[in-house]
Amino acid sequence: MPHSITLITTIAAALGMALIMGFIAVRLKLPALVGYLIAGIIIGPATPGFVADVDLAGQLAEIGVMLLMFGVGLHFSLGDLLAVRKIALPGAILQVAVATALGMAVAAMWGWSLGEGLVFGLALSVASTVVLLRALESRGVLESVNGRIAVGWLVVEDLVMVLVLVLLPPLAGWLGGNAAGVPYEPGDRSLLTTLAITLGEVTAFLVLMLVVGRRLFPWLLWQVARTGSRELFTLCVIAAAVGIAYGSAELFGVSFALGAFFAGMVMRESALSHRAADESLPLRDAFSVLFFVSVGMLFDPAMLMSEPLRVLVVVAIIIVGKTVAAFFLVLAFRYPLNTALTVSASLAQIGEFSFILAALGVSLGLLPPEGQSLILAGALISIALNPLVFQAVEPAQAWIRLRSKLARTLERSDDPLAELPMTVDQDGLTGQVVLVGYGRVGRRIGEMLTARKVPFVVAEQNRELVQQLRSSGIPAVSGDASEPAVLIQAHIARAFMLVIATPDTFHARKMIEIARMLNPRIDTVVRTHSVEEAALLEKEDAGKVFMGEHELALAMARHVLEKVASGTGKAADQ
């Protein structure tokens, strides 16, 4: 053909090979993403035969990151972000510091300079957006407290990396590197001036999105929806996601991922946000596959043969070092063991920011090419192993609770929020509703129960939210309701009904099992996201199952009020 078809060739080869290798991986009982990574290696420059365009694949992967973060933002409000700030902000900063220190220590043992060790450690400290979100979505915990903490943690890590990428060039000379390879001219700015400008740009972007964007973009989405054209609506969603992400990077120096995330957050203010999420889902899935393929294309398998011990050390820092640090940090904030394990498993990998930082480090003379290869090897192996890390969460939870007195002590020792206050009215602890989760759905149910004067107790993992509820006079207990101690504190043995407002099917089944063991006559109401999960719950006689998002809270609340009214006569003003 007379014209270049490099883009078409790259997309066709990447998607086709990903389909083949993903299918083989699934048939071998492996995660599909392992197949996607192998597909990237096959069509990459490190293996013989056809070689796809690495640069184009990387740009396509960036689009996948934008769409994925946009989709998360559509389900993640500013309130959700602020609700986890007390753990996500200090936790992410401390975890980045620990992982960076581990990387610097290893680099020093290898004879690298201070600057090389710093860049190397920072590259190992930040998790992959795509991997984390795919892992949480596949397990149905993205909208749970654990998921919100992990996403909030990731947002803080992204903000830290934005500052690192801006500050590294002016610091290059002091760290022993050079500024010759910098893709932009730092000029004569001092370090403090650069930091002030960077913080000012990020602040300006956040203010613009949260003040102007929250009004403008939902209005725009509604105007397009009024045309009745599905194509225009989908185009509006994709254009907003990619356009805002690109504009944030060009105008404010914010990463594509962070810009797209806040674009989704402001779009969430629209009543059409769920439709927007559904319309963008196919493209998000396709481009996220291209992300994994692009990671595989960057990997040179020869590294496994030439430097096997160093590769193992890097993987150990990513999977063991980061995981252990995050685990104890979350426990130190007195969150449940399940939260600590879920968050730490989410962060046990590295990805896109690591590649960007490694490339900048090489250009500045702050990272040897060998270091970049080790980072790529660590990324590919940690991404491939991440599903296995998640599968180990439940067995690890059981093993730790059985054998680790320290973990049990950190989790619940002398925790005032783990027990109901003595001031709670005892009349409200008989025949009450035990409401698990106080997010968007749980809050709506709680408001309707309060309006009808139906007594209820909230079991919630978010400690800050439990404190707010108690200050409002609502009985609440902090902890993972799939643990007997939490339901016991909520007086499940004397409750009339258990309402599970969190969309986590696995833990919902454990909650119901515990509740029925302690109270065989208890009624149960469960929330879920998919038809398959609903069928499984109904098959196991899990009680009344509600599925979906639209008017879900209202339907669940009405059902609860009807059951309470017919069962106990306590609902008022029927």
Side-chain angles (χ1 to χ4, degrees):
M1 297 180 70
H3 58 282
S4 175
I5 57 170
T6 306
L7 176 62
I8 298 175
T9 303
T10 300
I11 294 177
L15 294 180
M17 188 58 69
L19 173 63
I20 295 171
M21 301 310 298
F23 177 78
I24 294 174
V26 171
R27 292 299 298 268
L28 294 175
K29 307 298 183 183
L30 295 172
L33 68 85
V34 174
Y36 305 154
L37 293 168
I38 295 175
I41 296 174
I42 293 174
I43 65 174
T47 54
F50 172 79
V51 177
D53 191 309
V54 177
D55 292 333
L56 275 179
Q59 293 186 48
L60 293 171
E62 284 284 9
I63 297 176
V65 174
M66 295 179 200
L67 294 177
L68 200 63
M69 287 299 285
F70 178 76
V72 173
L74 285 171
H75 295 286
F76 206 91
S77 68
L78 179 62
D80 292 334
L81 193 59
L82 294 176
V84 298
R85 69 188 184 281
K86 291 184 179 179
I87 179 175
L89 181 60
I93 293 174
L94 288 172
Q95 180 255 305
V96 167
V98 170
T100 302
L102 289 173
M104 292 178 68
V106 169
M109 292 172 57
W110 293 340
W112 294 5
S113 68
L114 173 66
E116 291 171 336
L118 178 63
V119 173
F120 183 67
L122 286 169
L124 300 183
S125 69
V126 57
S128 165
T129 299
V130 178
V131 177
L132 181 143
L133 297 179
R134 285 286 293 269
L136 295 176
E137 281 184 327
S138 65
R139 287 156 182 81
V141 296
L142 181 59
E143 295 184 46
S144 67
V145 173
N146 295 349
R148 290 198 294 270
I149 291 174
V151 172
W153 200 296
L154 183 72
V155 169
V156 175
E157 283 191 349
D158 284 356
L159 287 170
V160 171
M161 288 303 121
V162 167
L163 292 176
V164 168
L165 292 173
V166 173
L167 295 176
L168 202 57
L171 283 172
W174 181 75
L175 291 171
N178 61 79
V182 185
Y184 54 92
E185 180 59 47
D188 297 326
R189 296 175 183 170
S190 67
L191 180 60
L192 289 177
T193 302
T194 302
L195 178 59
I197 291 174
T198 302
L199 291 175
E201 288 177 339
V202 172
T203 302
F205 168 72
L206 296 178
V207 170
L208 182 65
M209 293 300 294
L210 298 177
V211 175
V212 179
R214 292 178 75 180
R215 293 172 174 81
L216 175 62
F217 293 114
W219 174 84
L220 177 63
L221 195 64
W222 179 253
Q223 296 304 312
V224 173
R226 290 177 63 184
T227 66
S229 172
R230 181 177 179 182
E231 305 94 275
L232 279 178
F233 184 85
T234 304
L235 179 61
C236 179
V237 173
I238 302 303
V242 178
I244 295 174
Y246 174 77
S248 66
E250 286 293 309
L251 300 176
F252 300 98
V254 177
S255 68
F256 290 135
L258 206 60
F261 174 75
F262 279 96
M265 281 184 61
V266 298
M267 282 288 195
R268 185 184 177 276
E269 301 299 319
S270 170
L272 300 169
S273 61
H274 293 294
R275 180 184 171 189
D278 292 339
E279 295 287 349
S280 62
L281 183 60
L283 276 175
R284 277 187 281 153
D285 287 343
F287 278 100
S288 65
V289 169
L290 291 175
F291 166 79
F292 292 109
V293 174
S294 71
V295 172
M297 291 174 65
L298 295 171
F299 180 63
D300 183 1
M303 173 60 67
L304 299 176
M305 302 298 296
S306 60
E307 297 285 354
L309 292 180
R310 292 194 176 188
V311 171
L312 284 175
V313 170
V314 171
V315 173
I317 292 175
I318 297 170
I319 296 181
V320 180
K322 286 177 60 179
T323 300
V324 172
F327 174 79
F328 282 107
L329 284 170
V330 175
L331 281 184
F333 284 94
R334 286 185 168 176
Y335 274 80
L337 189 59
N338 178 260
T339 300
L341 288 168
T342 301
V343 172
S344 57
S346 300
L347 303 172
Q349 36 76 22
I350 60 174
E352 54 274 9
F353 258 120
S354 304
F355 309 147
I356 297 170
L357 186 58
L360 180 60
V362 171
S363 70
L364 293 172
L366 289 175
L367 187 69
E370 177 192 3
Q372 186 177 30
S373 298
L374 287 171
I375 290 169
L376 291 172
L380 185 137
I381 295 172
S382 64
I383 289 172
L385 293 179
N386 196 244
L388 301 179
V389 175
F390 264 100
Q391 290 177 13
V393 166
E394 293 301 327
Q397 181 175 333
W399 187 90
I400 291 171
R401 282 214 172 96
L402 184 63
R403 293 175 174 83
S404 176
K405 182 178 180 180
L406 173 61
R408 293 194 300 271
T409 301
L410 285 173
E411 186 179 19
R412 299 190 63 83
S413 175
D414 300 325
D415 186 357
L417 298 182
E419 299 179 358
L420 284 179
M422 297 297 293
T423 55
V424 174
D425 185 3
Q426 295 299 308
D427 292 338
L429 298 179
T430 299
Q432 81 280 14
V433 172
V434 174
L435 177 58
V436 178
Y438 210 74
R440 292 188 299 274
V441 174
R443 184 177 297 109
R444 184 72 179 275
I445 296 173
E447 290 170 352
M448 295 186 69
L449 291 174
T450 300
R452 297 298 182 91
K453 299 181 180 179
V454 176
F456 66 98
V457 178
V458 176
E460 168 64 54
Q461 294 191 59
N462 189 325
R463 294 175 54 80
E464 289 72 30
L465 187 53
V466 171
Q467 290 175 327
Q468 295 173 16
L469 289 170
R470 290 190 177 186
S471 64
S472 301
I474 298 175
V477 59
S478 171
D480 180 2
S482 63
E483 293 302 315
V486 176
L487 289 179
I488 289 172
Q489 281 298 319
H491 292 256
I492 194 71
R494 293 186 289 176
F496 172 73
M497 179 179 291
L498 172 66
V499 179
I500 303 173
T502 57
D504 187 345
T505 302
F506 177 80
H507 287 96
R509 293 158 66 190
K510 292 180 65 176
M511 295 174 201
I512 293 171
E513 179 182 350
I514 295 168
R516 287 179 174 170
M517 180 177 64
L518 298 172
N519 185 349
R521 295 179 295 178
I522 195 167
D523 207 344
T524 54
V525 179
V526 192
R527 172 192 175 192
T528 186
H529 271 329
S530 69
V531 175
E532 293 79 7
E533 291 175 349
L536 176 62
L537 289 168
E538 290 173 351
K539 182 179 179 181
E540 296 182 354
D541 191 25
K544 181 67 175 178
V545 180
F546 288 86
M547 183 179 65
E549 289 286 349
H550 302 286
E551 299 301 319
L552 173 67
L554 183 60
M556 290 182 71
R558 285 175 175 169
H559 174 79
V560 172
L561 291 172
E562 289 173 1
K563 295 291 287 185
V564 170
S566 62
T568 67
K570 286 191 175 184
D573 302 325
Q574 294 292 324

